[in-house]
Amino acid sequence: MKRMIVLGTGSFLPERVLSNADLEKMVDTTDEWITTRTGIKNRRIAGKGEETSKLASKAAARALDMAGLAPGDLDMIIVGTITPDMGMPSCACLVQKELGAAKAFALDINAACSGFVYCLDVADKYIKAEPDMKILVVGAETLSARVNWEDRNTCVLFGDGAGACVVTGKTGKRGLLASKLFSDGSLYKLLYMDSAPSMNKELACQDNDGSYIKMAGRDVFKYAVRSMDMAITNVLEQVQVPVEDISLIIPHQANIRILKSLGERLGIAGEKVYINLDKYGNTSAASIPIALDEANRLGHIKSGDLVLLCAFGGGFTWGAALFRW
Ligand code: ACO
């Protein structure tokens, strides 16, 4: 049986660093508050020429390079994002244009911070149907464009960036062993972002105040820990793998306290939970592929390792995916 394997990973971060000290000058906050409550020290902020599709394309080029493939080899491009450059076309179509991946069809998935895990799950379904497909899976965001820089509750949390991987089918023990996705739209008001106001007055939302991310942080925190635990347990049960066998968990990078609570609930050693949110903050759909690429390039993942990805985000959406690397 052919499984979906990762041929290459890549990531790209804008150069501009926004530190906690910088934020102290912008809103009523302190480095101490941000560090102890979130674990975040710095985040990257996109500038001119660094739209989501551009960040995504640069991350994709690095993943293709590691995979030893050319853009023309790609059959499909899936981008997880809640901050596409425009409403239409999709960010994935702009990535296709930027790379010159003429053969690929392209689509976006909006699953907020779970976007990359959602994209991987969809890619896996295509690989199961057509194992020779070469699929580019990207998570990319420019959340700085959708953050209210006067709201200290949210503006300290988010950053910009992109991560990518190239996948295909291969016979053997390696590859995606199991994945599972969940959604609960009934709770959407706890974490949401308006889109551009409707031009149809009948449909215009009265409290649409211009596209900012709004979040009931404490509630999101609780749901995030419980939901990721539930998704991970589901995936491990599917393949009867005990949690101790996991080599590395690469979770969505939202908050150090969420990740510590998750590790404790699962009974997994702290050093097995990959954390880089101190450098980049919460980059939503981009956070897992950026961390995956970093861990891969730093040699933290070896062939045969069990690597678990898990995410939680607006929607609510959540899910997990288990690879034998
Ligand atoms: N600086 C200083 N004080 C602050 C700041 C700040 N930046 N932000 C909030 N505060 C204050 C609040 O006003 C509040 O003050 P009060 O007690 O006088 O009212 C106090 O700090 C405590 O606020 P809480 O919101 O209760 O703080 P909490 O410990 O819950 O931390 C946080 C807030 C970091 C947002 C946390 O709840 C969290 O990480 N939640 C989950 C976020 C998440 O996982 N998001 C994932 C999905 S994101 C996506 O899908 C796009």
Side-chain angles (χ1 to χ4, degrees), residues 29 33 37 113 152-153 191 217-218 254-255 257-258 282 313-314:
T29 192
W33 191 97
R37 297 289 178 120
C113 303
R152 69 175 184 174
N153 290 292
L191 175 56
R218 226 175 258 184
N255 183 313
R257 291 183 296 134
I258 292 179
N282 179 347

Side-chain angles (χ1 to χ4, degrees), residues 77-92:
I77 298 172
I78 322 177
V79 178
T81 186
I82 52 168
T83 50
D85 301 13
M86 50 184 96
M88 179 182 73
S90 66
C91 186

Side-chain angles (χ1 to χ4, degrees), residues 33 41 50 55 73 92 123 126 152 156 181 294 299 302 318:
W33 191 97
K41 284 287 195 189
E50 292 183 324
L55 302 181
D73 296 324
Y126 272 90
R152 69 175 184 174
V156 303
L181 306 180
E294 189 176 278
K302 297 181 295 300
W318 65 101

Side-chain angles (χ1 to χ4, degrees), residues 27-30 33-34 37-38 82 111-114 143 152-154 156-158 191 213 215-221 224 252 254-255 257-258 282 284 312-315:
V27 287
D28 180 16
T29 192
T30 59
W33 191 97
I34 303 171
R37 297 289 178 120
T38 72
I82 52 168
C113 303
S114 310
L143 292 162
R152 69 175 184 174
N153 290 292
T154 51
V156 303
L157 304 174
F158 299 103
L191 175 56
I213 293 172
M215 179 167 73
R218 226 175 258 184
D219 292 323
V220 175
F221 190 110
H252 168 50
N255 183 313
R257 291 183 296 134
I258 292 179
N282 179 347
S284 191
F312 178 85

